[in-house]
Amino acid sequence: RRPDTQMKQLGDILIEGGLVTHDQLTAAYEEHQRNGRSLGRVPVDQGVLSEGQLVAALATQIGLRFVDLSDFSVDGSAVSRVPPSVCRRYTALPVGYEDGKLLVAMADPANVFAIDDIRSITGMDVKPAVATRADVLAAINRYHRNDGELVSGEMLERGPGRRFARIPRLAQPARPVGPGRQQLPLLEVVHVGI
């Protein structure tokens, strides 16, 4: 396949999606030819496209789903299946389940090592989805702490009936939450629940 054909396909996706005009695409293509920068990168650098719009178009081009993590309901039980160190290593975060597979938002969905490792860790088939690197990193930081704990307030699946429970603030001492009541750290809540 000629590179120009692939670039034209991206251009078609951008135009059909109403993300760029024909003139903007032509200008981006000329800039690409002059400087060798990628065709998609040029309109982003020029402020014509956002990073998310470009990544969504590229996901369409390769036939994968795009996930906007700033506007996606993440399933805490999916997040908890993969250690934060693995999420950070591969810039990938499990965000839910789809068709019996673990849906994983990835900055690089072509990383077969990441997909294989996540499959080995979880025992589930992985369905990669595309997300921007910045969004995946922000989501990892939002759902995981540096010490590997899930962030407070996220939902985790409990039991076969898929009942959900809120996790209290983590790595904190018990603190008063009302007269004669204290909120316990997660480890104590887990021990009490068992």
Side-chain angles (χ1 to χ4, degrees):
R1 191 183 241 189
R2 286 185 16 230
D4 289 339
T5 304
Q6 185 176 12
M7 287 179 208
K8 185 175 186 295
Q9 289 178 351
L10 175 61
D12 289 341
I13 292 167
L14 295 173
I15 288 174
E16 289 168 9
L19 300 172
V20 298
T21 65
H22 191 283
D23 291 342
Q24 289 170 324
L25 181 62
T26 300
Y29 186 75
E30 290 168 359
E31 175 78 13
H32 155 75
Q33 292 290 83
R34 269 194 310 275
N35 296 326
R37 293 184 358 224
S38 80
L39 178 61
R41 188 89 243 144
V42 172
V44 171
D45 292 345
Q46 293 173 340
V48 173
L49 278 180
S50 72
E51 187 81 23
Q53 290 170 319
L54 173 62
V55 172
L58 291 169
T60 299
Q61 185 180 29
I62 61 174
L64 289 178
R65 177 177 176 183
F66 173 75
V67 177
D68 180 355
L69 292 174
S70 65
D71 188 34
F72 187 86
S73 179
V74 174
D75 186 331
S77 68
V79 172
S80 67
R81 289 181 161 274
V82 178
S85 60
V86 174
C87 293
R88 286 185 176 88
R89 180 181 324 132
Y90 295 123
T91 318
L93 183 72
V95 295
Y97 304 93
E98 197 169 274
D99 303 325
K101 297 179 181 178
L102 185 65
L103 182 65
V104 180
M106 304 178 73
D108 179 8
N111 186 337
V112 294
F113 297 112
I115 293 169
D116 286 346
D117 280 357
I118 293 169
R119 182 183 303 120
S120 293
I121 290 166
T122 64
M124 293 187 71
D125 284 334
V126 173
K127 184 171 188 174
V130 182
T132 66
R133 179 176 181 76
D135 280 355
V136 175
L137 290 173
I140 291 169
N141 291 333
R142 187 167 54 246
Y143 292 100
H144 288 292
R145 296 172 51 98
N146 287 336
D147 61 9
E149 298 288 348
L150 286 174
V151 172
S152 65
E154 299 308 325
M155 304 299 278
L156 284 183
E157 181 178 356
R158 282 185 9 181
R162 291 186 57 95
R163 294 181 311 272
F164 291 89
R166 287 219 173 260
I167 299 172
R169 180 170 292 281
L170 304 174
Q172 301 283 330
R175 61 181 187 184
V177 292
R181 295 178 47 216
Q182 291 186 337
Q183 184 176 21
L184 302 173
L186 175 64
L187 199 51
E188 292 180 41
V189 171
V190 170
H191 288 296
V192 169
I194 298 174

